[in-house]
Amino acid sequence: MYRGPIVVFVACLFAALYVLVAHAAPAAEPGSALQIAALPATTQVVDPAQVVHGPMDALFVPSHSAYTPNAVESERWYRLDTNADWQGETSPVLSFTGATYIRITVYAPPDYQPRALWFAQTEENSRFSRHRLAMELPHDLHAGQPIYVQIAADSFTRQIKPALTDLASYQSEDLNHVRLTTMFASVQVTMILAALCLWMVLRDRVLVYFIGYTTFQLMFQMLTSGEIYELPGGKLLVPLGTHAPWLFAALSTPLLVSFILEFCELRQITPTAAKILGWMRWPFLLAALLLCLPFAVRTHLLASSFNVWFMLTELWTLSTVVLAVSRHGRQARFFLIAWMPQVMFTLLRLSQVLLNLDQPRWLEYGYPFTMAFASIVVTIGLADASLRARRERDMAHHLADHDALTGVLNRRALVRRLNAAITEARLQKEPFALLFLDMDHFKSINDRFGHAVGDACLRAVVVAIAEELRPADWLGRYGGEEFIVGLPGASHDNAVAIGERIRKRIETLHVHSRGTTLQTTVSLGAASLDGPTDTADELLARADAALYRAKSDGRNRIVSHPPLAATGT
């Protein structure tokens, strides 16, 4: 039933992603290619002046790799140059991908002054986004002119890749990157605000989980892309360095698991799997605590264990949600559609990190794209859950105010409606009348034919009464075989005329039930609102007195109060 729409949806998802990635793809670079040479790794501190002024040039060893990886224990030095003079129409831009929080210092011509490039740099306004660490080089860059690069030591070895691009192409690509990341972040912020508005009205715990995990995921994404440091207050996160994205990833996961447990109703649908999933979220809180310690980022085992546990948790969560979908969990189906692309891209991203591979462009933009998409679909699911809760609440209110057998107002609701109708009649200075009905000899029907036939007779009488009423009139069951009809705006004479129509209609009514056909009649008492101090109890008492008079006078008739005349057979 759902296979076709899901296939179409996934196809549209990847088509949209392909268009976005193609739009953000860089233009072809000019013919000058970078040549890389590396200074052999050493634990001794190298004086930058000795490197920059040329005495150590002979020690640089040409590299056949396109990367300038950092080292764990010591800084690394690289010399970059081109195999041809720069021929681009605009100045060349030297950029580095994969550096993230590693500090890079570039010594470039003509003055070879140190230029610091750092992901979390906030000291000056950057000309480019933090998509890459980049700086502009002189337009007259010559072949063989050296550029020295000092890459700081870090706790992890990363494949840092330098590239040379003309300024116009780089700015165009950079602008597209900013547009995409801003769009994805804006979508998530919008969904968070929508959920916050829902929470202010509903005060539902599942909305708190959604707001929490989505906010932390957004923070993580903005930390890994660097945009967060452009925002007011971004400087406060700089001291955390590489701790920051790990910390927010660790905090978002238990909130995500808690949200899934509540939103998908896993504890009711898949209790055993849900219990295991609930246990799996607690190690992330311990990881969040450990990641705040100074040694955390230098412990490979901790980082690798976190990634492996994260992958296992996602796979178990996915299996549990799929199991809930197979057991007809409506909310689980919503979440599966929303989360499946994000799970796939998350696992691919973790695999790329663990295997130390280049991040392809479709993965770079696919991951935030699926996060934004998941936020939209889950928000729709939350709205659907809220709508179902509202329908259930309305149904509960309906059942609380209506008679289960006949579907008309019950005694409590009709008394409330009567008080409101009297108040409204006084405000509008309009008349109001009441009919009190009682089925004649109803007990004998139950005794002779059984309660099932009696119930069918009650329902048939209610339908007949309702068909004789005006749109503004209302009907309620006072108890047993007694009914009340409220007639807003009806004068005493109008009430008697409506009551007489009802009496004649029921007199000719044939009730068919369980192979039996029978007829019944009703007696009616009519009363009108009398004076500004008249109460609902007094009005009911007068209508009841008129009904008693109709019964005493032979039944199957209507009597008004005061008893002006009796109508009927």
Side-chain angles (χ1 to χ4, degrees):
M1 177 179 178
Y2 298 98
R3 186 175 301 172
I6 290 176
V7 170
V8 173
F9 164 76
V10 173
C12 293
L13 170 68
F14 281 97
L17 181 59
Y18 175 80
V19 171
L20 291 174
V21 172
H23 181 66
E29 299 178 1
S32 299
L34 278 177
Q35 299 177 128
I36 302 173
L39 192 66
T42 177
T43 57
Q44 297 180 352
V45 177
V46 179
D47 183 7
Q50 291 185 336
V51 176
V52 172
H53 293 123
M56 301 183 69
D57 278 359
L59 299 178
F60 280 89
V61 179
S63 174
H64 300 291
S65 172
Y67 300 95
T68 54
N70 63 310
V72 174
E73 298 297 335
S74 62
E75 64 185 17
R76 295 297 304 272
W77 280 89
Y78 295 91
R79 188 185 65 202
L80 311 178
D81 57 45
T82 61
N83 59 357
D85 294 343
W86 182 255
Q87 300 297 326
E89 294 183 1
T90 55
S91 301
V93 173
L94 176 64
S95 62
F96 299 87
T97 56
T100 58
Y101 287 90
I102 301 174
R103 293 177 181 266
I104 296 178
T105 305
V106 178
Y107 299 84
D111 54 10
Y112 286 95
Q113 292 299 311
R115 172 70 183 277
L117 301 178
W118 187 42
F119 196 62
Q121 190 171 3
T122 58
E123 291 80 9
E124 60 182 67
N125 293 326
S126 177
R127 184 173 183 180
F128 308 114
S129 75
R130 299 169 196 264
H131 182 212
R132 301 173 185 171
L133 301 183
M135 63 175 288
E136 184 180 358
L137 298 177
H139 190 276
D140 58 350
L141 185 66
H142 301 300
Q145 194 171 14
I147 303 167
Y148 298 99
V149 178
Q150 180 186 14
I151 301 180
D154 191 69
S155 53
F156 298 98
T157 301
R158 294 181 174 89
Q159 294 290 82
I160 302 172
K161 188 174 184 179
L164 208 58
T165 314
D166 70 284
L167 179 61
S169 299
Y170 188 86
Q171 287 182 321
S172 176
E173 179 195 354
D174 204 39
L175 180 59
N176 288 333
H177 167 78
V178 171
R179 288 169 176 166
L180 287 175
T181 53
T182 302
M183 180 184 69
F184 296 145
S186 299
V187 169
Q188 289 185 272
V189 170
T190 303
M191 296 304 104
I192 291 171
L193 293 177
L196 184 61
C197 293
L198 282 174
W199 176 81
M200 293 176 66
V201 176
L202 302 176
R203 303 288 176 172
D204 194 343
R205 181 172 57 185
V206 71
L207 290 168
V208 176
Y209 291 144
F210 174 77
I211 294 169
Y213 97 77
T214 307
T215 301
F216 284 144
Q217 279 193 348
L218 178 60
M219 294 285 287
F220 169 78
Q221 182 60 33
M222 294 183 71
L223 280 164
T224 55
S225 64
E227 277 79 9
I228 199 166
Y229 299 109
E230 303 288 348
L231 301 177
K235 293 182 179 180
L236 299 176
L237 296 173
V238 173
L240 291 175
T242 53
H243 293 266
W246 287 91
L247 179 62
F248 283 104
L251 290 175
S252 70
T253 307
L255 287 171
L256 173 60
V257 172
S258 300
F259 171 78
I260 295 170
L261 289 170
E262 294 284 339
F263 179 75
C264 299
E265 302 173 341
L266 298 183
R267 291 188 179 95
Q268 293 76 33
I269 302 174
T270 59
T272 303
K275 183 178 292 186
I276 297 173
L277 182 59
W279 292 338
M280 295 180 76
R281 60 186 160 171
W282 301 121
F284 290 101
L285 296 179
L286 177 61
L289 178 63
L290 293 176
L291 288 167
C292 292
L293 300 177
F295 67 86
V297 293
R298 299 192 176 277
T299 306
H300 289 265
L301 179 60
L302 176 61
S304 299
S305 300
F306 176 87
N307 284 330
V308 171
W309 186 252
F310 185 85
M311 292 179 69
L312 291 174
T313 303
E314 283 217 332
L315 290 173
W316 183 262
T317 304
L318 181 61
S319 302
T320 305
V321 173
V322 170
L323 180 60
V325 171
S326 68
R327 295 179 180 178
H328 307 291
R330 178 181 175 87
Q331 296 304 111
R333 187 179 299 116
F334 263 109
F335 192 79
L336 183 63
I337 295 173
W339 202 45
M340 182 69 79
Q342 185 178 346
V343 169
M344 181 181 67
F345 276 84
T346 301
L347 294 177
L348 290 172
R349 179 77 174 98
L350 285 174
S351 301
Q352 175 251 320
V353 171
L354 290 173
L355 297 175
N356 204 23
L357 301 174
D358 281 344
Q359 181 177 209
R361 191 164 296 273
W362 57 266
L363 181 57
E364 178 184 359
Y365 294 112
Y367 184 68
F369 176 77
T370 56
M371 287 177 62
F373 167 77
S375 299
I376 294 174
V377 178
V378 170
T379 303
I380 295 173
L382 287 169
D384 178 75
S386 300
L387 181 60
R388 288 197 299 125
R390 180 177 178 179
R391 287 174 178 169
E392 291 172 357
R393 181 198 63 193
D394 293 344
M395 180 61 69
H397 287 170
H398 179 83
L399 294 175
D401 290 345
H402 290 76
D403 177 57
L405 176 63
T406 60
V408 297
L409 296 174
N410 57 27
R411 181 166 180 166
R412 182 184 64 178
L414 70 86
V415 169
R416 187 168 64 246
R417 178 72 67 86
L418 178 59
N419 281 290
I422 291 175
T423 301
E424 182 68 16
R426 286 181 180 145
L427 289 174
Q428 301 296 330
K429 297 181 180 180
E430 292 180 348
F432 178 79
L434 194 71
L435 296 177
F436 209 142
L437 296 85
D438 184 57
M439 293 178 62
D440 298 328
H441 306 294
F442 182 72
K443 185 177 183 302
S444 65
I445 295 175
N446 279 334
D447 292 341
R448 290 178 58 193
F449 304 104
H451 287 281
V453 175
D455 291 346
C457 192
L458 285 171
R459 287 192 290 265
V461 166
V462 164
V463 172
I465 294 172
E467 289 178 350
E468 295 297 331
L469 300 181
R470 303 166 303 169
D473 300 338
W474 45 268
L475 171 64
R477 187 180 180 187
Y478 196 70
E481 65 273 18
E482 296 178 330
F483 296 90
I484 299 284
V485 176
L487 303 170
S491 64
H492 194 84
D493 292 340
N494 295 145
V496 172
I498 293 172
E500 178 60 18
R501 290 205 310 268
I502 292 172
R503 186 196 69 78
K504 290 181 178 180
R505 176 69 177 270
I506 295 175
E507 185 181 30
T508 60
L509 180 67
H510 293 77
V511 180
H512 307 280
S513 177
R514 294 181 177 266
T516 301
T517 300
L518 56 89
Q519 290 181 275
T520 186
T521 58
V522 294
S523 299
L524 303 93
S528 298
L529 198 60
D530 184 17
T533 61
D534 207 3
T535 66
D537 290 339
E538 292 171 348
L539 185 59
L540 279 171
R542 292 199 301 273
D544 187 36
L547 172 63
Y548 181 78
R549 177 70 181 273
K551 290 280 190 182
S552 300
D553 289 351
R555 295 184 172 83
N556 191 25
R557 66 190 63 237
I558 178 171
V559 173
S560 63
H561 188 282
L564 301 175
T567 305
T569 304

